[in-house]
């Protein structure tokens, strides 16, 4: 039972363009969402989060959008840089519960 | 900047042997976690720990697994009798907040376990 889905296993984007990473979830009780970036042989590093009371959160080049009715969130990276090439994980939790991670999307930013 | 540290970075062991993976969470954090990632698969929750006891565990976390916080700083994961399928990257994580929905997880670099 995949509660958090990232249907694109990989994505390639030209440097300077926008990267859009998508995440869908099935559990309507999820109310807090995070995006993590992971380089090979390293632990996931936190990027940005959003609470269900918001529909957008922005931090520099990173913006997360949440559509609760569609149970969908997305991460926008603008402009994309080669150093952004990594695996991006969406994670979600409901109050008092632990984070559930999606399978990840591998982003490649081409110079 | 404070960080979660894990040792060893890589351990190779024979099937059936006991393994202890060690973690030092960020010092003022209250919640501690172990996750694992089998090569090519997603990051999976194993166990969470708060107030010196397990708060939640997944189906993966069977009787072969145990966690301990033996002192004020270390948080360990023990696998009593390793199986081939335990080969994975094990990540320790910690979180600061004691309530509500805020507070991201801070992950360590991971310990790669290879069971032969």
């Amino acid at each position: 039972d995949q509660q958090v889905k990232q249907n694109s296993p990989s994505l390639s984007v030209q440097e300077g363009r926008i990267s859009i990473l998508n995440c869908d979830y099935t559990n309507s009780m999820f109310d807090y969402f995070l995006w993590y970036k992971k380089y090979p042989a390293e632990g996931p590093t936190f990027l940005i989060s959003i609470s269900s009371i918001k529909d957008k959160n922005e931090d520099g080049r990173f913006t997360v959008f949440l559509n609760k009715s569609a149970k969908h969130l997305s991460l926008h990276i603008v402009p994309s840089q080669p150093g952004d090439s990594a695996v991006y994980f969406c994670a979600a939790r409901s109050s008092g519960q632990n984070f559930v991670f999606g399978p990840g999307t591998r982003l490649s930013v081409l110079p | 900047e404070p960080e979660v540290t894990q040792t060893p970075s890589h351990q190779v062991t024979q099937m059936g042997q006991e393994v202890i993976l060690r973690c030092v969470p960020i010092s003022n954090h209250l919640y501690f976690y172990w996750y694992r990632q089998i090569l090519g698969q997603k990051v999976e929750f194993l166990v969470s720990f708060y107030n010196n006891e397990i708060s939640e565990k997944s189906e993966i976390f069977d009787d072969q697994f145990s966690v301990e916080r033996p002192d004020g700083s270390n948080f360990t994961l023990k696998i009593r009798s390793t199986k081939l399928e335990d080969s994975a990257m094990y990540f320790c994580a910690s979180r600061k907040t004691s309530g509500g929905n805020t507070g991201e997880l801070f992950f360590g670099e991971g310990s790669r376990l290879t069971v032969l």
Side-chain angles (χ1 to χ4, degrees), chain A residues 30-75:
Chain A
F30 286 149
D31 57 7
Y32 188 59
F33 306 88
L34 305 93
W35 283 95
Y36 282 84
K37 177 170 74 173
K38 184 181 180 303
Y39 295 117
E42 293 185 14
T45 54
F46 170 75
L47 273 178
I48 193 168
S49 64
I50 189 166
S51 164
S52 60
I53 61 173
K54 295 185 174 182
D55 54 19
K56 177 183 175 182
N57 188 25
E58 192 172 351
D59 183 2
R61 295 187 297 116
F62 302 93
T63 303
V64 56
F65 295 91
L66 175 63
N67 182 335
K68 286 192 295 293
S69 61
K71 296 192 182 69
H72 176 82
L73 66 157
S74 60
L75 174 68

Side-chain angles (χ1 to χ4, degrees), chain A residues 31-32 36 43 93 98-99, chain B residues 33 35 45 56 95 101 105 108:
Chain A
D31 57 7
Y32 188 59
Y36 282 84
R93 64 169 288 183
N98 294 296
F99 290 97
Chain B
Y33 303 80
Y35 283 81
F45 168 73
E56 189 176 348
R95 181 166 68 91
N101 294 320
L105 297 175

Side-chain angles (χ1 to χ4, degrees), chain B residues 74-98:
Chain B
N74 290 286
F75 178 52
T76 61
L77 174 70
K78 181 192 290 186
I79 308 174
R80 192 169 304 122
S81 176
T82 50
K83 304 186 286 289
L84 295 176
E85 54 265 38
D86 294 327
S87 295
M89 194 76 155
Y90 287 80
F91 294 104
C92 175
S94 67
R95 181 166 68 91
K96 182 176 180 180
T97 56
S98 60

Side-chain angles (χ1 to χ4, degrees), chain B residues 4-34:
Chain B
V4 177
T5 58
Q6 290 185 241
T7 54
S9 56
H10 188 195
Q11 180 154 359
V12 181
T13 189
Q14 294 289 325
M15 190 169 58
Q17 295 296 303
E18 177 183 283
V19 160
I20 297 177
L21 305 178
R22 292 182 168 79
C23 170
V24 179
I26 296 173
S27 62
N28 61 347
H29 283 193
L30 301 175
Y31 289 81
F32 313 113
Y33 303 80
W34 283 101

Side-chain angles (χ1 to χ4, degrees), chain B residues 30-47:
Chain B
L30 301 175
Y31 289 81
F32 313 113
Y33 303 80
W34 283 101
Y35 283 81
R36 79 173 185 190
Q37 185 181 28
I38 296 172
L39 187 65
Q41 299 185 25
K42 66 177 183 179
V43 176
E44 300 174 294
F45 168 73
L46 290 178
V47 65

